[in-house]
Amino acid sequence: MKILVTGGCGYIGSHTCCELLANDYEVVVIDNLSNSKEDVIDKIKEITKKNVKFYKGDLCDKTLVDEIFKTENIDAVIHFAGLKAVGESVKKPLLYYRNNLDSTLTLLETMNKYNCKKIVFSSSATVYGSPKKLPIKEDFPLSTTNPYGSTKLYIEGILKDLYRSDNDWSISILRYFNPIGAHESGLIGENPNDIPNNLMPYIVKVATGELEQLSVFGDDYDTKDGTGVRDYIHVVDLAKGHIKAIEHILKEKGIDCYNLGTGKGYSVLELIKTFEKVNNIKLNYKIVGRRPGDVAACYADCSYAFKKLGWKAEKNIEQMCKDSFDFVNKLNKDNTK
Ligand code: NAD
Ligand code: UFG
């Protein structure tokens, strides 16, 4: 079985390529490297001792996407490619709508043309907006607070309309909670070029001394210690969820949404304390005001993914904190060689 992985050089995509190869799928990647580096392909090959076919280019490029489907006999697609920075999406909405929607439409039109009607799509817990109840279930009301989130919600809508028009499609929409951690080899992980917006990459840069101090955004939420609570999930567990979703769409038609998280909520302070403990390091942090747009708490009910896909997350928060730090330490060591 041959799987096209869009955005396969990225953080979640690269870990999923490794899991696909370990499960004997053939892997074809398209990535324009707007938020990743080409050497990730070599790292995937090094980890798995298997080959990956790489197309460097843009998923909005109809000619290239057509060429890929004409050349490769693609059985199914996992669609990760997209821009994902919430703050940037507020400043540059058109860039986000153009990139995330145009690429998806090009992909779906080409899949239709070549009669490849099986897709797993990367959505996000952001489509639940500010949840009224916890834990979050898949049938909760959907809304968004920023253009990035809106692209996810619109694409979910496009996929639902597509299925309504043609029941031959098999579509799994995966709503990720907060992926952190890295591959146990230390070869791939999350390595943002710019100053990170997300908590774990920021913590790691403070731990390595690249950034001076972590700001904790608010300690007056109605949560266990006043700081924001999130459902952190190890990226390797998340990648494994994609294998289960692929297995499912290869055998059954239909469309469905699944929460991928652990079901447990950790506060910012709990994550800091755990990181300090497992890595034996002190983090310099201070409490500041709330970040606009943040919700107090967000964690998933993942029972549907277990029931339908037979998937559940296995790695704990200690492993996530250790693997995130190990990856960046190894990267920094390799860069100074
Ligand atoms: P990432 O930025 O590391 O990976 C995305 C990849 O897509 C990058 O390698 C980038 O170069 C590529 N890309 C972007 N636009 C492209 C285009 N037009 N053509 C070809 N390649 C393109 O992000 P990630 O964390 O691996 O996220 C993967 C997907 O999961 C994204 O769709 C993201 O929105 C979604 N998601 C991520 C998170 C998270 O916290 N990381 C949470 C929920 C959902
Ligand atoms: N936080 C800080 N300091 C920081 C960064 C974050 O205190 O420097 C706090 C936030 O206030 C929040 C928690 O850490 O309470 C997690 O924040 P992240 O930015 O890591 O994650 P979010 O839950 O805000 O958002 C992320 C992605 C979204 C995605 C969402 C759900 O950025 O794209 O998870 O999947 F939609």
Side-chain angles (χ1 to χ4, degrees):
M1 285 285 160
K2 202 185 263 191
I3 313 295
L4 175 65
V5 181
T6 78
C9 295
Y11 174 45
I12 308 170
S14 56
H15 289 82
T16 303
C17 287
C18 291
E19 292 302 320
L20 285 167
L21 292 162
N23 283 277
D24 290 330
Y25 290 94
E26 286 180 76
V27 173
V28 177
V29 167
I30 175 174
D31 200 303
N32 66 2
L33 305 178
S34 58
N35 196 36
S36 52
K37 298 200 175 66
E38 193 165 348
D39 69 356
V40 167
I41 295 291
D42 297 328
K43 307 259 173 75
I44 295 169
K45 290 179 185 166
E46 194 180 331
I47 290 168
T48 60
K49 312 276 181 281
K50 292 197 175 158
N51 203 23
V52 180
K53 179 100 176 257
F54 178 49
Y55 289 86
K56 180 174 162 184
D58 203 295
L59 198 57
C60 301
D61 178 346
K62 284 188 181 160
T63 314
L64 173 66
V65 178
D66 197 276
E67 184 62 34
I68 295 175
F69 277 87
K70 201 189 298 166
T71 314
E72 311 291 342
N73 215 345
I74 303 292
D75 293 292
V77 176
I78 308 183
H79 179 31
F80 292 105
L83 297 173
K84 63 164 184 176
V86 172
E88 186 186 48
S89 83
V90 175
K91 291 195 190 100
K92 299 178 183 169
L94 297 181
L95 175 71
Y96 273 66
Y97 288 121
R98 171 62 70 195
N99 187 70
N100 294 2
L101 297 179
D102 201 3
S103 56
T104 304
L105 290 172
T106 302
L107 174 67
L108 294 173
E109 281 168 355
T110 315
M111 290 175 71
N112 223 0
K113 177 174 167 191
Y114 287 89
N115 203 31
C116 170
K117 297 184 175 177
K118 299 178 194 328
I119 185 167
V120 176
F121 171 62
S122 301
S123 189
S124 165
T126 194
V127 300
Y128 295 113
S130 296
K132 300 254 177 319
K133 273 194 309 184
L134 291 166
I136 298 171
K137 287 184 176 238
E138 286 83 354
D139 61 359
F140 275 24
L142 305 178
S143 68
T144 60
T145 53
N146 57 73
Y148 162 72
S150 298
T151 68
K152 293 294 173 197
L153 198 51
Y154 295 156
I155 294 169
E156 288 201 6
I158 290 168
L159 291 169
K160 286 169 191 166
D161 286 342
L162 183 60
Y163 179 72
R164 222 170 277 136
S165 75
D166 177 359
N167 290 176
D168 260 352
W169 280 84
S170 314
I171 302 171
S172 281
I173 294 170
L174 305 182
R175 295 178 180 149
Y176 314 150
F177 281 68
N178 290 55
I180 59 172
H183 195 267
E184 61 180 5
S185 63
L187 288 171
I188 53 173
E190 188 170 27
N191 179 30
N193 291 330
D194 301 328
I195 294 183
N197 300 301
N198 297 119
L199 182 58
M200 182 54 94
Y202 207 105
I203 286 182
V204 167
K205 282 199 190 290
V206 172
T208 57
E210 288 165 79
L211 293 171
E212 208 183 309
Q213 190 175 52
L214 170 73
S215 296
V216 174
F217 298 138
D219 67 349
D220 56 352
Y221 286 108
D222 184 16
T223 59
K224 47 187 135 184
D225 58 23
T227 64
V229 166
R230 295 292 183 276
D231 185 340
Y232 297 97
I233 172 168
H234 198 292
V235 66
V236 171
D237 277 334
L238 193 60
K240 288 183 174 159
H242 292 73
I243 307 301
K244 295 290 188 188
I246 279 286
E247 284 168 4
H248 178 73
I249 61 165
L250 286 174
K251 60 174 198 281
E252 258 181 58
K253 292 178 181 170
I255 182 164
D256 228 334
C257 303
Y258 307 93
N259 286 341
L260 299 190
T262 63
K264 294 190 190 86
Y266 287 92
S267 73
V268 176
L269 290 179
E270 282 177 327
L271 194 69
I272 292 173
K273 296 294 164 219
T274 310
F275 189 95
E276 289 184 327
K277 191 165 164 224
V278 300
N279 295 309
N280 195 20
I281 194 166
K282 268 307 256 183
L283 288 170
N284 180 19
Y285 70 88
K286 69 163 187 259
I287 311 284
V288 300
R290 293 183 180 191
R291 181 171 66 176
D294 271 353
V295 298
C298 172
Y299 53 90
D301 179 329
C302 300
S303 54
Y304 192 62
F306 184 62
K307 187 171 148 206
K308 287 281 291 212
L309 305 177
W311 172 89
K312 78 171 178 351
E314 278 163 4
K315 292 179 185 279
N316 61 23
I317 197 83
E318 283 80 11
Q319 196 68 52
M320 299 181 213
C321 288
K322 184 174 180 304
D323 290 346
S324 291
F325 197 37
D326 284 355
F327 164 68
V328 172
N329 278 331
K330 181 167 170 28
L331 190 75
N332 289 346
K333 210 164 115 201
D334 290 349
N335 287 344
T336 52
K337 267 186 195 158

